[in-house]
Amino acid sequence: MSIVLKTPEDIAKMRTAGQLAAEVLRMIQPHIKEGATTEELDRICHDYIVHEQKAIPAPLNYKGFPRSICTSVNHVVCHGIPGRKRLKRGDIMNIDITVIKDGYHGDTSQMFCIGEPAIIAQRVCRIAYECLCIGIREVRPGARLGDIGHAIQNHAEANNLSVVREYCGHGIGRAFHEDPQILHYGKPGTGVELHPGMTFTIEPMVNAGKRFTKLLPDGWTVVTKDRSLSAQWEHTVLVTDTGVEVLTAQPEETF
Ligand code: MF3
Ligand code: CO
Ligand code: CO
């Protein structure tokens, strides 16, 4: 267990990687529509990352993952494998992008709506985003990881939604998944203390039903056990001297 504190040189490269990952999410947006397959979206992202950004799609061959992005539709919680399934009106989908540039990782994901999903589907997407933002607002030197987890859990459960516990955020840098683990539930004032130079992801998975998950036989796809809808948003963040910098922020986002 060792947390890597990033130097100013590391941070500059993390910023670049983070912004490339965010750019892929903007690029793919107009391609997400009824009738598109998730493997078409994967190919577009793959080609863009490799040929335009001259970067590496981190998921490809990571522990045997067969594609360059994760696409998690409706009751899929995370790690959905792009395939021949076509998007239909009313679906909600998470796209998770991780790129490696100059040796450093940037990791971000967001929800997309196809057509106009049911109110409950829109609601789980919105509350999951609020959970991410509420978690980010806890990040500052001297805060503890339990403060982040508690804030997220509290917001989800206050809205009658549940937080997935089997998967979590993670330190990130030269490695995809570094220490520490960032749980999206917990108790205030507990856990690792935050220090300037730490970089990690916050990526809450929020379910409309119960929190329990099941791994499909493909060894990757995680679904809700009760088949309820699930939503996830992710950013890579840096602990600064005064608070937080969101390395994968979109231009219009404020935290
Ligand atoms: N990007 C995911 C995360 O947020 C990890 C995907 S691992 C993969 O940590 F192998 F499924 F791509
Ligand atoms: Co991540
Ligand atoms: Co990710």
Side-chain angles (χ1 to χ4, degrees):
M1 161 90 176
S2 70
I3 297 171
V4 185
L5 292 180
K6 274 67 179 184
T7 66
E9 294 73 28
D10 297 327
I11 290 165
K13 291 176 180 175
M14 291 290 294
R15 222 175 250 130
T16 300
Q19 282 305 300
L20 289 174
E23 188 190 11
V24 178
L25 287 176
R26 295 198 293 279
M27 180 280 300
I28 199 63
Q29 168 111 57
H31 299 277
I32 299 170
K33 45 192 176 205
E34 179 184 12
T37 66
T38 49
E39 71 187 0
E40 288 161 5
L41 301 175
D42 175 72
R43 187 192 50 85
I44 295 165
C45 290
H46 176 94
D47 290 349
Y48 188 78
I49 293 165
V50 172
H51 298 114
E52 307 286 332
Q53 297 187 328
K54 318 282 186 204
I56 299 166
L60 186 59
N61 301 320
Y62 177 79
K63 297 184 178 173
F65 191 80
R67 301 286 182 183
S68 295
I69 66 173
C70 299
T71 51
S72 302
V73 179
N74 293 337
H75 68 292
V76 179
V77 172
C78 62
H79 303 165
I81 304 172
R84 290 192 303 247
K85 207 173 100 99
R86 288 186 192 282
L87 297 173
K88 59 183 194 305
R89 267 178 296 142
D91 284 346
I92 58 170
M93 172 177 58
N94 173 280
I95 295 190
D96 193 336
I97 303 290
T98 312
V99 305
I100 310 169
K101 182 72 171 184
D102 208 359
Y104 291 81
H105 291 71
D107 190 4
T108 183
S109 81
Q110 74 173 68
M111 297 302 296
F112 295 92
C113 292
I114 295 87
E116 203 177 307
I119 295 291
I120 179 62
Q122 295 185 36
R123 193 167 154 272
V124 67
C125 291
R126 176 175 57 83
I127 303 287
Y129 182 69
E130 290 171 1
C131 284
L132 171 59
C133 294
I134 284 166
I136 289 171
R137 280 182 219 126
E138 293 295 320
V139 178
R140 71 187 80 88
R144 290 178 180 271
L145 289 179
D147 300 335
I148 299 173
H150 177 261
I152 291 169
Q153 178 182 13
N154 185 55
H155 188 62
E157 293 179 356
N159 285 281
N160 268 310
L161 303 174
S162 64
V163 175
V164 169
R165 302 204 181 181
E166 293 89 348
Y167 302 89
C168 57
H170 48 92
I172 183 168
R174 284 197 170 276
F176 196 161
H177 296 109
E178 298 182 352
D179 286 336
Q181 293 196 350
I182 312 297
L183 304 183
H184 303 113
Y185 60 93
K187 296 203 192 319
T190 67
V192 170
E193 186 180 333
L194 303 187
H195 296 282
M198 288 174 64
T199 52
F200 55 85
T201 72
I202 304 177
E203 48 182 301
M205 286 142 276
V206 173
N207 299 346
K210 298 204 188 310
R211 66 178 176 83
F212 304 102
T213 63
K214 189 175 83 177
L215 182 64
L216 294 190
D218 64 22
W220 283 105
T221 310
V222 178
V223 299
T224 54
K225 205 168 182 187
D226 61 9
R227 295 188 59 91
S228 64
L229 293 169
S230 188
Q232 178 180 33
W233 296 70
E234 174 175 26
H235 274 310
T236 298
V237 304
L238 163 72
V239 184
T240 65
D241 291 330
T242 54
V244 62
E245 178 180 336
V246 181
L247 299 175
T248 49
Q250 297 291 347
E252 72 276 10
E253 280 186 302
T254 53
F255 297 99

